[in-house]
Every structure is written in C-alpha cells, then in structure tokens.
Amino acid sequence: MDLLPAVNSQIAKKHGFRSLKLVSVDMDHVLAEQPFGVQYGRLDNGLYYYVRSNSKPRMRAALSLAVKAGSVLEEEDERGVAHIVEHLAFSATKKYSNHDIIKFLESIGAEFGACQNAVTSADDTVYELFVPVDKPELLSQAISVLAEFSSEVRVSKDDLEKERGAVMEEYRGSRNAAGRMQDAHWVLMMEGSQYAERLPIGLEKVIRTVSHETVKQFYRKWYHLSNMAVIAVGDFSDTQSVVELIKTHFGQKSSAPEPPLIRKFTVPSHEEPRFSCFVESEAAGSAVMISYKMQADQLKTVKDYRDLLAESMFLYALNQRFFKISRRTDPPYFSCSAAADVLVHPLKAYIMTSSCKEKGTIEALESMLFEVARVRQHGFSEREISIVRALLMSEIESAYLERDQMQSTSLRDEYLQHFLRNEPVVGIEYEAQLQKTLLPNITALEVSKYSEKLRTSCSCVIKTIEPRASATVDDLKNVVLRINNLEEERNISPWDDENIPEEIVSTKPNLGNIVQQFEYPNVGATELILSNGMRVCYKCTDFLDDQLIFTGFSYGGLSELLESEYFSCSMGPTIAGEIGVFGYRPSVLMDMLAGKRAEVGVNLGAYMRSFSGDCSPSDLETALQLVYQLFTTNVTPGEEDVKIVMQMAEEAVRAQERDPYTAFANRVKELNYGNSYFFKPIKLSDLRKVDPLRACEYFNKCFKDPSTFTVVIVGNIVPTIALPLILQYLGGIPRPPEPIMHFNRDDLKGLPFTFPSTIIREVVRSPMVEAQCSVQLCFPVELKNGTMVEEIHFVGFLSKLLETKLMQVLRFKHGQIYSAGVSVFLGGNKPSRTGNVRGDISINFSCDPAISSKLADLALDEILILQEEGPSDEDVSTILEIEQRAHENGLQENYYWLDRILRSYQSRMYSGDVGISFEIIDDGRSKVKTSLTPQTAKLALQRILPYPCKKQYTAVILMPQTSRFKLLKSFFRSTQTSYRTDAKILAGIAGMAVIALSLWRYSRSTLKS
C-alpha cells in the first residue's frame, strides 16, 4: 500500500490560500457599497431585493423579509405590539387563515419553529423561511407568504384574541430569573433613552388588553415597502427567474405615498460610571458585568476594516488572559470573557462578564478592572499578539477554503446585515486578501490601545448579580477608586507569560500497522483493524473542505461501578479536565494550539466511554496527537486543582437548589426512574465524599486500552495523508499487557429503573419570584426485540406526529401555549443484543398555572383520539415530508454521517460487518416510511404507548408555591386528584454559564422544554 503523500486537490486548495496574493491597500479606500455575489435591486414600490444562487444545501432556499420596524417605534399604549404583529403574520393574512401558513410550511417539510422563524428586536423585525425548491411551485408559494407578511396581515379582533394566549405565554416564559436579570441590565444600559422603555416583549397589560385597531394602526404605519427587503439565497438554476417571482408577488403591492419618518433614538453617554447590585434569589450563580458604551462606527473604508481586526485581536488577547487567570490557584472567578456587540442601531458596547463564587463579586470585579488597567500600563506582549494573529489567520483560512460551501442561511444573514446595518459584503476572497495583508502589520501597541476604550469614564455600567446580597454600591465604587489609584501610581506589575512547550508529543510513538482492511461500498467507508487492536473506520466526503470529525467509543461505563464509587468516578472527567487530560494544563494547551483548528473532548456515559474531535484536515496530526496523549497521560490530582473543581461544583449545586425548574426535573426523574443512585441529584454532602484520587484513577483506566475502541472518522480525508498519521498516533498507542476495561456489550450491568405501573399526577410547588408553570406528561415505552429496528423508526415518526398534533390543539386551536416538545428516552437500557428496550416518551409545555391541569387533560384526550381514530392522511403526509426533508439535509452533513455509522456499530444488528447493520437500519427506515398510513400509525400508537394512554402515565406540573391558607382551601376543594408537594431538589453538576446579553431579541423559535 502506497502511504506516501501525493499532490491532491486538498493540498492545492491549502496552497491556494497560502499563495493568495497580498493586496496593495489604500487605508482611505471605500469598501464597495454594492453587496458582493448577489443580484441586488429595488422595485418601483421601494422594496429592496437580494438574490443569490448557492448550492449548500442542495435543493433548498433560505428566504427572509426584513422590516426596519421594531419595538422602539411603539407608543406607550403599543408596548409589545411590534411583537404581536409578528405573531399575527403566521396566524392569518388576506390569503391564509387559521395558521394555514404553518400548515403549508409543514406540508413541504419546513417544520414550524425549527425551519421557520421570526425575530422582533428593538430596531427591526425579520421573518425567515427555509424551504425546499425541488418543485417549481414551492419557491413561488414561499415568496408569496413573505409578500403576505409585507402588507396583507389580517388584524381582526378574533385573530388577536386567538393569539393573545401564545404571546402571553412567551411573555411569562421571559419572566424567569435569566429574563429578569437581562431586562434589568438592558434598562440600566439604555437609561435616558427610548430604548430603555421599549423591550420587544412589551408590557403584560398591553398584551392582555390592546385593541386590534391599535395593532392594525402600527402595522399599517410602519410596514412600508420602502423599509423592507426580501433576501433569497438558495439552489437556484438562475437568479433572474427568482427576481421575476419577487416582482410577481411584491410588484403590485403598494404602501402610503410617503414612507413614515423613522426617528433615530440616541442613548446618552455619561462620564460617571453607573452601578447596580442586583439580587436575584433564583440566579444560577454570582456574576459581574461591566459594559462600556460608545457610538457604533460605520464600516466604510479599509482603515475601518483594519480597526475592526485590531479590535478583534484585542478581545481575543484579553480573553486569553482571562482564561489563564481563571485556571490559577484560588482564582477570582470561574470564567470570564469580553466581547463587542452593536446593541441597537446607534450603540455599540464592550461587555465583560464573569461568573464567580458566592460573595466573590468584589474580588472578580477587581481582577477584571485590574487586568484591563495592566494592559493600559504595560500592553500585550509580542508573543501574545503572535498567538492571536495565528488564531485569526487560521479562521480566515478556514473560511476561504470553504468559500464555495457556505450555508445559504449564513449568506442570507450577511445580506440582512447589509440592509439593516449598512455592513459591506465584499466577498470572502477579498476579505482573505485583506486579512493576509493587514494582520501581520498590526502591532501589539496598536492592539493594546483599545484598552483606552475600557475606562470607567467611558459610559461605563458596572453590575453585580447575586442570589443573596453581599456587595454594595459603595463596595463597587471603592474597587473602581482603588484600581484607578493603582494605575495613576503606575503600581501594576507586568503580565508574566507561561513557558509553552514546542511539541504536543515530544517523542513520536512507534508506527502501528494495518492487520486487516475491509471496504463497505454501501456506506462509502473503509475499516482498518490496527496492530494494537483499535478499529478505525473512515469515510471521505466533500461537504466541507476544512472539516474532519471523529468519535471513538468503547463499551463499559459508569453502570459497572458500585454505588459507593459512583459519585467519585463520575467526577473523573471534571477533575481530570482541570488538570489536563492531554498532558498539559488547559491554559498551556490553549497557547500550544494557537493557529491550529483541532479540539478533542471526552465523555463518560452509563455504558460507554468516548472521545470526539473536530479539526481541519491540515491539523489532523495535531488532533490525533491529542488522542495519543489522552491514552498515554496519567492524570494525578493536585490539591489546588481539586479545590477549584469542587468550588465550582458546590456553586453549581447551590445554584440549582435555588432554581424551581431543577426541583421539578428532579421529581420527574424520581417518579419515572425510581430512587436509583444513577438518577439521583448530587448533593453537597455527596461532593464532600468525592475521592479525587479514585476519580483520576478511574478516568485513567477509561482511556488506556486501545484494543477496546472503535473510531469513526468522517470528512475531507485524503487517505495517502491521513493513513500514516492514523498508524502513527492511533496505531502507536501502546496496548497494555493485560486487557483494561474490556467488556462484552451483552454482559454489561443495566441501570435499575422501573416506570410506575399506575397513573401518577403530582404538583411540584416551588418558591418563585414570578409565577412559572411547566407540564410534563410521560408514558412508558417497551420495544420488542424481534422488531426492534422498525419500532425505533416508528418511535421517531410518532414523536413528531404527537408534537405536531399537540401544537395544533393547544396552540392553534386553544391558543394557550407557546410551544410543545416531545422527547424520547431509550438510553436507560444496556446495549445488549438480546431483550426488549425500555424507555419513555415525554411531552413538555409551559402554560398559565391556572389552566395547567386542564391542558394536560386536553393533551391526553388528543393522544387517545390518535390511538383510537388515527391521524389524518394529511397528518401522515406532513410527518413523512418533514422526516424526508431532514434526511435529505442530513445526507449533506458530516455529523449526520458520523452519527449513522456510529449507530450502525452500536446497533443490535452489528455482528462484525458494519455494512450489513447499516443496511438493516436503512431498510428499517424505508419499510416504516412505506408502511406509514393512518391505520399503521394508529396501531403503532396503541402498540408502543400504553393503550389506552390514560391507563398508565405520569403527569408532573411545576407550580408556584402558595400560602398555607390557599393550600388548605385547595385541599378541601380537590376531589379527583391527589397532589403531593414533597419535591426534592435537583442538583446536577453543570458549568457556570456566563449570562448572555441577547435580551434585546425575542425569538419565535420553538422552545424545547
């Protein structure tokens, strides 16, 4: 076998970037106003259009209607109306009524929520469709829907009343802890401007009482064609025919002779910083947010573009420092990051956010301000900037290599920003040339100067968030004063760079060899058995030129452990990850990987251990070196490493104990899966019993024996380049003298859980700042071994059917929910090739607490009707279309293929030939698709769910805690259902998430609760 590298298209493309000519730049050169690569124009009625042909994905189109009208234009009695108009657009128009638009989209495979979306922000409203175009009439129909949105939304009294419940439920969902914190920060940031009083979600009073005349007046005034644009990017044979469709559907429409004057609202600047100590009893943790506001600059010239690059380098370099500080002994915060964003049209902000231990906000704030002051005094080092430069160069190189494989949705979003923000679209080729030319000449001094914009005198807003008050405004002011004095006295020490090793693998391992090789034409894959026993399967694709992904798995996981060891060993990945599972501390490895696109992560599950990676083909060697290091590194816990991990874990547990939803989730688990230690929440008392040494010992054993692992690699693989690397770093992993964690999949210990055999209805009452309510219905599922493959496919189809029908009943008919989700759990069973598969199907939605029980009954009624009468032909057709479209999209994605091949190896049908199990699974899908009719769907619902469904299920409802007096009255009134309130607190280990500032946008995407 010839394993020597040969000249190929991948290398040619790589050289294509590296030999890309630099451009001669004039800093005052104005970037092209005409967007690149698109047919761009304007109709006589004022509507702008953008049309571009793009074949990723094939036979699909990404469409948008952008309207320069958002919540900031609302009058006081209209607060929330811009968002209500967006809802009504999908409810009823002149041509479509009773949510016919949603029915049409679902009938062509464009799911409501997942592929159809709308967003209302302070400044604009955007409607988005993602539709198939393999039939000529579909594109025309989709564009006609956007045309209806532009001027034909029907705003009748009945339409509004039907939609109020859904809007109100979305409002209620935004009033959780995260929503309250975001809203409060938004008001603080925008103080003194119209934006502060115009959150897109609006006011509850307006949502409940606004008249249809007021809504109609807003729509007719601000939805003017001259303030709109249609964007169409997709797999079109020619763009002119799409332009003609736009003219057909929009050309005859007209607006008022004079477009309304859209006021520009300013946000006042302030020299004195603003301070706030926000106490949120349900907060997920303590946090600090520092924002620096400024006017948003227009990107017009090459100099503006260069400044944008320098700003990006500054933020990257600052974030690198924040990360390294967070990994130090006794760090001031668990995580910290800085970003820049345009919040509203005239306003941009640098935002620094950290999460920290309870009562640690003052220390975190001081560290954040100190680091920025250190940059002002000493600057970044040349080494820091060279690392950031390499990182940015790697990113633009990847974008350039995949310039012909960009998703249509990404291109559509670029043109949206061109219309809404006047951002130039110059094309990736020119951007790559600009960055190659400009990046090497941006100095550390230039980058460091951006720290001047992060002074507390620059419209600064400082806010702490705590579950219990500890910091005061005076404390915050004293920190600012202290850092300012240190800076004035020039009493800040320089940054101390860490010593970074040159090579990940210092000594190359001995080359392995191929013992056996198999070809599987039906999968398009090759399988290798290596000399150390590792099985490697690779599939070459051309979906993305700069992507390779892989997963390796081995049977035997946490289910094999004794209960006494479970909590310690389950903490293994967390403790080992803090120390460094690849032989280097995370802060050191970050610098070692600068300029490379390679990452590897690990996971310990109930029945499997696995590692997964994502890399550029040119960085495959680096990614495989990380895998080699994973298998050859022995992680030993240090006292400080363990201390940091346990601190973070304890904060996460305390945070989740405050969250009402975790009490709810815990009770659902307890009812459905029993009191098994595997499903129990981790408590503080459990954390204190964790043995770090045992945790690391177990982790080391999990990734030690290569002979137990199967690795699947998918992407732009060139075998002549990849095979020597696979043999070197995977084949070179030493096989231990005796097998380690070598398990037979049929002999694994199963997780002990038993679904209740009767009906259980229970209310979990939890203290809440504002009333929230969530409903979960759960049904046991048992799939018979003989027909397992088909039954699993049936479960997939039926879960989508249930989700669609429940949305029709609870959302579109009764108007009482915003979204419904259906989830399937079959993961509790050991991967044995014998025996039945047990699990459950769960239905989730949020609603008004007062009607939660009624809606749960309506959901049960609808499922029973489906079991007894079956779905309609139209329902079945819709589900089949949605599944087929998702499958077609997936066939063009590396991750979809990786998942299919992994499932084939892990299938019960696998007995050594992955091609056969792949074919059996594929045939199972085809059989179910072919056989799916209203009758077979009805029988499957009877067979897979308890029949009738009302004979065995759990219904758990999260409700706000009421007073003892109210509970007593409720008890005496209740004659049908017994409610228990002995809910336990769910406390799982979770990463401390930084609070996102996406508060100014409210998406209509389906929420999967």
Side-chain angles (χ1 to χ4, degrees):
M1 184 183 295
D2 183 11
L3 299 181
L4 294 175
V7 176
N8 57 76
S9 60
Q10 181 183 322
I11 293 176
K13 281 202 170 189
K14 200 75 176 176
H15 286 316
F17 174 79
R18 292 180 179 171
S19 61
L20 193 64
K21 290 183 179 178
L22 304 183
V23 290
S24 176
V25 291
D26 173 4
M27 290 299 154
D28 295 324
H29 175 72
V30 177
L31 300 173
E33 292 185 9
Q34 184 84 6
F36 175 83
V38 68
Q39 194 163 341
Y40 170 66
R42 196 173 189 186
L43 303 185
D44 293 340
N45 58 16
L47 178 85
Y48 291 88
Y49 63 82
Y50 301 71
V51 179
R52 174 166 176 165
S53 181
N54 185 66
S55 60
K56 184 75 174 180
R58 292 188 296 273
M59 290 293 108
R60 297 292 184 273
L63 311 176
S64 280
L65 175 71
V67 187
K68 290 181 179 178
S71 60
V72 75
L73 299 176
E74 296 164 347
E75 300 296 337
E76 184 64 27
D77 64 345
E78 296 175 331
R79 291 175 66 178
V81 166
H83 179 234
I84 289 173
V85 168
E86 173 223 301
H87 268 254
L88 290 173
F90 289 93
S91 174
T93 66
K94 184 177 179 180
K95 185 176 177 182
Y96 301 94
S97 63
N98 195 27
H99 297 94
D100 285 341
I101 288 175
I102 293 165
K103 293 174 188 173
F104 157 68
L105 292 169
E106 289 182 333
S107 74
I108 63 173
E111 294 181 72
F112 175 63
C115 298
Q116 164 274 312
N117 193 22
V119 176
T120 301
S121 72
D123 291 312
D124 44 64
T125 305
V126 177
Y127 301 88
E128 298 176 345
L129 306 177
F130 185 70
V131 297
V133 291
D134 50 354
K135 299 173 186 174
E137 69 276 9
L138 297 184
L139 180 60
S140 179
Q141 284 178 277
I143 291 174
S144 79
V145 167
L146 295 181
E148 290 284 295
F149 292 164
S150 72
S151 59
E152 307 293 349
V153 175
R154 195 180 73 192
V155 188
S156 71
K157 185 177 180 180
D158 287 345
D159 296 328
L160 180 56
E161 292 309 315
K162 286 180 182 177
E163 200 62 25
R164 276 192 211 274
V167 179
M168 193 59 226
E169 190 48 44
E170 190 176 354
Y171 173 86
R172 186 180 290 106
S174 74
R175 301 306 302 157
N176 57 15
R180 289 190 296 273
M181 290 186 288
Q182 291 170 350
D183 288 357
H185 191 71
W186 176 262
V187 171
L188 189 65
M189 290 273 286
M190 301 296 169
E191 186 178 315
S193 77
Q194 174 92 336
Y195 287 104
E197 304 298 322
R198 293 298 182 270
L199 282 162
I201 196 64
L203 300 178
E204 180 178 356
K205 179 182 177 183
V206 173
I207 296 170
R208 290 190 183 278
T209 64
V210 69
S211 68
H212 73 281
E213 288 93 350
T214 301
V215 177
K216 186 181 292 184
Q217 178 184 335
F218 180 92
Y219 176 65
R220 288 181 172 171
K221 179 178 181 180
W222 297 112
Y223 273 56
H224 196 283
L225 290 165
S226 63
N227 293 329
M228 298 185 196
V230 174
I231 297 107
V233 181
D235 195 6
F236 311 133
S237 55
D238 70 287
T239 55
Q240 186 56 41
S241 63
V242 182
V243 172
E244 294 304 321
L245 284 175
I246 292 172
K247 290 178 178 178
T248 298
H249 293 292
F250 283 90
Q252 302 307 310
K253 297 189 179 299
S254 60
S255 299
E258 290 297 323
L261 178 65
I262 298 180
R263 285 179 57 195
K264 300 295 182 186
F265 299 94
T266 58
V267 180
S269 59
H270 47 95
E271 285 191 13
E272 290 298 317
R274 293 177 185 159
F275 299 95
S276 171
C277 296
F278 191 83
V279 179
E280 171 54 65
S281 61
E282 296 172 14
S286 298
V288 178
M289 303 175 73
I290 311 173
S291 305
Y292 307 86
K293 299 177 292 183
M294 62 205 73
Q295 287 298 111
D297 297 322
Q298 286 283 309
L299 179 59
K300 290 186 175 180
T301 66
V302 170
K303 181 183 182 303
D304 296 333
Y305 189 86
R306 189 180 191 276
D307 291 344
L308 193 64
L309 283 178
E311 176 188 83
S312 296
M313 294 174 75
F314 168 75
L315 293 169
Y316 270 116
L318 188 59
N319 282 329
Q320 300 253 8
R321 283 197 182 182
F322 284 154
F323 178 76
K324 291 175 181 179
I325 291 169
S326 74
R327 307 270 71 80
R328 287 178 178 172
T329 301
D330 198 18
Y333 41 70
F334 298 133
S335 65
C336 184
S337 65
D341 201 1
V342 176
L343 305 185
V344 294
H345 280 185
L347 187 71
K348 173 181 174 177
Y350 292 113
I351 303 166
M352 298 194 301
T353 313
S354 70
S355 63
C356 59
K357 62 188 176 186
E358 195 167 343
K359 298 182 180 179
T361 53
I362 298 303
E363 184 185 2
L365 172 64
E366 186 161 1
S367 176
M368 294 160 76
L369 292 175
F370 183 88
E371 205 50 51
V372 175
R374 185 182 349 236
V375 176
R376 278 195 293 269
Q377 186 166 325
H378 299 286
F380 291 114
S381 68
E382 286 297 337
R383 184 175 162 280
E384 287 178 290
I385 295 306
S386 68
I387 287 172
V388 169
R389 190 180 290 120
L391 195 152
L392 284 173
M393 198 69 85
S394 173
E395 287 184 358
I396 191 63
E397 181 177 22
S398 180
Y400 178 80
L401 291 173
E402 294 177 352
R403 63 193 181 280
D404 299 325
Q405 298 161 325
M406 286 184 71
Q407 292 283 346
S408 291
T409 49
S410 299
L411 292 168
R412 175 189 65 187
D413 292 345
E414 284 191 16
Y415 299 125
L416 273 171
Q417 293 309 306
H418 180 270
F419 175 69
L420 296 171
R421 304 281 187 271
N422 297 317
E423 289 185 8
V425 179
V426 297
I428 193 64
E429 293 91 341
Y430 183 56
E431 269 204 75
Q433 285 183 299
L434 272 181
Q435 288 205 28
K436 278 195 70 175
T437 304
L438 298 173
L439 273 174
N441 300 308
I442 298 175
T443 65
L445 180 61
E446 287 179 88
V447 173
S448 303
K449 282 182 178 177
Y450 275 82
S451 59
E452 292 294 334
K453 297 187 177 186
L454 274 64
R455 288 191 177 274
T456 52
S457 58
C458 298
S459 296
C460 180
V461 177
I462 297 175
K463 179 178 180 178
T464 60
I465 298 166
E466 297 179 295
R468 285 178 286 272
S470 67
T472 66
V473 168
D474 284 342
D475 292 333
L476 308 188
K477 289 180 177 178
N478 288 336
V479 169
V480 170
L481 186 62
R482 191 156 58 245
I483 298 301
N484 287 345
N485 288 339
L486 282 174
E487 191 172 1
E488 285 174 12
E489 296 164 4
R490 299 193 66 79
N491 202 14
I492 296 175
S493 59
W495 176 260
D496 185 19
D497 270 335
E498 293 180 270
N499 181 42
I500 306 300
E502 291 292 324
E503 298 290 339
I504 294 173
V505 177
S506 54
T507 305
K508 286 195 174 184
N510 295 326
L511 199 71
N513 60 281
I514 298 169
V515 177
Q516 288 179 288
Q517 179 168 332
F518 306 96
E519 301 294 334
Y520 299 107
N522 61 328
V523 188
T526 300
E527 182 183 85
L528 312 173
I529 309 298
L530 306 184
S531 49
N532 60 3
M534 182 177 276
R535 185 186 305 268
V536 178
C537 176
Y538 65 85
K539 177 178 174 64
C540 308
T541 70
D542 58 2
F543 306 136
L544 289 171
D545 285 339
D546 201 45
Q547 185 182 69
L548 271 178
I549 56 175
F550 56 85
T551 293
F553 73 92
S554 178
Y555 288 111
L558 297 171
S559 76
E560 300 300 311
L561 295 165
L562 298 173
E563 182 174 355
S564 59
E565 293 187 309
Y566 170 73
F567 284 122
S568 288
C569 294
S570 67
M571 288 288 292
T574 309
I575 296 172
E578 187 64 30
I579 300 165
V581 299
F582 306 111
Y584 305 95
R585 298 191 65 82
S587 57
V588 173
L589 188 65
M590 178 178 68
D591 284 355
M592 294 176 72
L593 296 177
K596 298 181 183 296
R597 203 175 73 72
E599 56 182 333
V600 177
V602 299
N603 180 60
L604 299 187
Y607 303 116
M608 280 187 270
R609 301 103 63 201
S610 64
F611 60 85
S612 296
D614 185 341
C615 66
S616 167
S618 60
D619 294 321
L620 176 62
E621 180 171 14
T622 300
L624 295 183
Q625 284 179 337
L626 293 175
V627 176
Y628 175 82
Q629 289 289 104
L630 173 66
F631 277 79
T632 56
T633 296
N634 279 313
V635 180
T636 305
E639 185 177 339
E640 287 301 327
D641 301 315
V642 173
K643 181 181 175 183
I644 294 170
V645 171
M646 301 314 291
Q647 265 190 350
M648 293 173 68
E650 287 180 14
E651 288 296 327
V653 169
R654 290 193 183 97
Q656 293 192 29
E657 287 177 344
R658 295 187 292 267
D659 178 20
Y661 282 94
T662 54
F664 171 63
N666 178 57
R667 188 56 181 153
V668 169
K669 274 187 181 181
E670 190 175 26
L671 287 173
N672 292 345
Y673 308 132
N675 208 26
S676 165
Y677 68 89
F678 192 86
F679 295 105
K680 274 185 181 178
I682 296 181
K683 299 177 182 177
L684 289 174
S685 57
D686 297 317
L687 289 177
R688 290 167 189 144
K689 296 174 187 174
V690 167
D691 179 350
L693 188 61
R694 175 64 183 126
C696 289
E697 284 175 353
Y698 177 73
F699 182 85
N700 290 333
K701 283 175 63 179
C702 285
F703 301 97
K704 193 61 65 179
D705 189 344
S707 68
T708 69
F709 276 81
T710 297
V711 182
V712 179
I713 308 173
V714 176
N716 186 18
I717 301 168
V718 178
T720 52
I721 295 175
L723 284 176
L725 300 176
I726 289 170
L727 295 180
Q728 183 90 69
Y729 298 108
L730 298 186
I733 297 171
R735 183 173 184 168
E738 297 294 328
I740 298 176
M741 294 189 75
H742 198 294
F743 294 97
N744 185 321
R745 63 184 289 180
D746 296 317
D747 299 330
L748 297 175
K749 295 178 183 176
L751 297 179
F753 71 94
T754 305
F755 197 89
S757 59
T758 58
I759 298 169
I760 295 181
R761 291 180 71 117
E762 184 171 306
V763 169
V764 174
R765 294 194 180 272
S766 184
M768 299 180 192
V769 177
E770 295 192 44
Q772 301 279 314
C773 177
S774 187
V775 178
Q776 177 155 324
L777 296 171
C778 196
F779 305 92
V781 169
E782 186 163 358
L783 308 180
K784 303 299 181 185
N785 188 41
T787 55
M788 186 67 59
V789 173
E790 288 83 0
E791 292 291 76
I792 287 175
H793 285 295
F794 262 119
V795 168
F797 281 104
L798 295 180
S799 63
K800 179 51 65 179
L801 172 66
L802 291 173
E803 188 172 276
T804 303
K805 294 300 290 184
L806 291 174
M807 281 290 286
Q808 288 175 9
V809 172
L810 302 182
R811 167 77 188 270
F812 305 140
K813 182 179 178 181
H814 294 280
Q816 295 299 336
I817 69 166
Y818 178 50
S819 65
V822 176
S823 56
V824 178
F825 172 67
L826 299 175
N829 297 272
K830 61 182 183 179
S832 166
R833 282 167 284 208
T834 60
N836 297 339
V837 168
R838 296 179 302 123
D840 58 67
I841 292 180
S842 298
I843 294 158
N844 310 273
F845 56 85
S846 59
C847 62
D848 184 338
I851 59 171
S852 56
S853 188
K854 175 188 172 185
L855 294 185
D857 288 334
L858 285 173
L860 287 166
D861 291 342
E862 181 60 26
I863 296 168
L864 185 59
I865 290 170
L866 288 170
Q867 284 185 314
E868 292 180 339
E869 301 176 11
S872 66
D873 287 319
E874 183 182 356
D875 292 331
V876 172
S877 175
T878 294
I879 300 309
L880 287 171
E881 192 70 18
I882 289 172
E883 193 277 343
Q884 179 61 25
R885 297 303 187 180
H887 179 67
E888 290 170 358
N889 289 341
L891 290 176
Q892 303 171 62
E893 300 294 336
N894 287 326
Y895 278 103
Y896 189 72
W897 277 100
L898 178 66
D899 183 65
R900 292 181 82 197
I901 297 172
L902 285 170
R903 285 177 184 271
S904 300
Y905 274 110
Q906 295 164 9
S907 166
R908 291 179 172 222
M909 302 299 111
Y910 177 70
S911 58
D913 188 316
V914 76
I916 291 175
S917 56
F918 182 91
E919 188 173 343
I920 291 171
I921 293 172
D922 227 27
D923 287 346
R925 172 183 172 271
S926 299
K927 286 177 184 176
V928 172
K929 273 193 66 183
T930 305
S931 68
L932 198 64
T933 65
Q935 178 66 14
T936 57
K938 180 181 79 171
L939 293 174
L941 282 165
Q942 293 177 6
R943 185 174 65 249
I944 291 171
L945 295 180
Y947 178 65
C949 66
K950 294 186 179 184
K951 78 173 185 180
Q952 187 186 7
Y953 66 90
T954 61
V956 187
I957 302 175
L958 172 66
M959 298 276 274
Q961 195 172 67
T962 53
S963 68
R964 290 182 179 273
F965 176 69
K966 285 184 179 178
L967 279 174
L968 192 63
K969 290 205 307 185
S970 172
F971 175 79
F972 283 116
R973 285 178 186 162
S974 177
T975 58
Q976 296 180 345
T977 307
S978 170
Y979 295 108
R980 290 183 285 171
T981 57
D982 58 338
K984 294 187 182 290
I985 305 298
L986 173 69
I989 298 302
M992 298 291 286
V994 172
I995 297 165
L997 280 176
S998 57
L999 50 132
W1000 51 90
R1001 288 199 168 185
Y1002 286 81
S1003 171
R1004 279 181 29 92
S1005 297
T1006 301
L1007 303 177
K1008 303 289 183 185
S1009 39

